[in-house]
């Protein structure tokens, strides 16, 4: 069963509303906007977690980020290319 819904009135720039309406497809504008808001809430929550983690452990460096990106690329390659090994 789906979550209970409520009806709300929002105001947004017309060009954004029209673009969203054009892209919303069969699920409709309300579902499109709800998905966009849900993604923003996820981002806000992640930013809060990052702030807490950086306060406790210091900021993540660019080198650490690049290292993790490289690791992710290797892992994806190993999943899609049987027999592929990390370089």
């Amino acid at each position: 069963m789906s979550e209970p819904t409520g009806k709300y009135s929002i105001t947004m720039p017309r060009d954004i509303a029209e673009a969203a309406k054009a892209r919303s497809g069969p699920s409709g504008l309300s579902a499109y906007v709800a998905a966009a808001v849900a993604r923003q809430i996820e981002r806000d929550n992640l930013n809060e977690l990052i702030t807490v983690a950086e306060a406790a452990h210091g900021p993540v460096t660019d080198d650490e980020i690049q290292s993790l990106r490289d690791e992710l690329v290797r892992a994806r390659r190993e999943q899609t290319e049987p027999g592929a090994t990390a370089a």
Side-chain angles (χ1 to χ4, degrees):
M1 183 175 257
S2 65
E3 292 290 321
T5 60
K7 188 168 184 164
Y8 303 91
S9 175
I10 62 169
T11 302
M12 70 176 78
R14 183 169 291 146
D15 60 334
I16 294 173
E18 291 302 320
K21 193 173 177 182
R23 288 171 173 78
S24 63
S27 61
L29 182 59
S30 291
Y32 189 87
V33 171
V37 171
R39 281 191 305 275
Q40 185 61 49
I41 291 169
E42 288 174 355
R43 288 180 178 156
D44 293 343
N45 289 340
L46 286 171
N47 283 333
E48 290 172 10
L49 288 172
I50 290 167
T51 299
V52 169
E54 286 186 336
H57 306 287
V60 179
T61 67
D62 290 341
D63 288 341
E64 289 170 320
I65 292 170
Q66 188 58 52
S67 176
L68 291 171
R69 284 182 176 150
D70 293 344
E71 186 177 328
L72 181 59
V73 167
R74 283 192 299 275
R76 286 180 176 162
R77 187 180 311 125
E78 290 173 5
Q79 286 180 341
T80 59
E81 301 172 13
T85 58

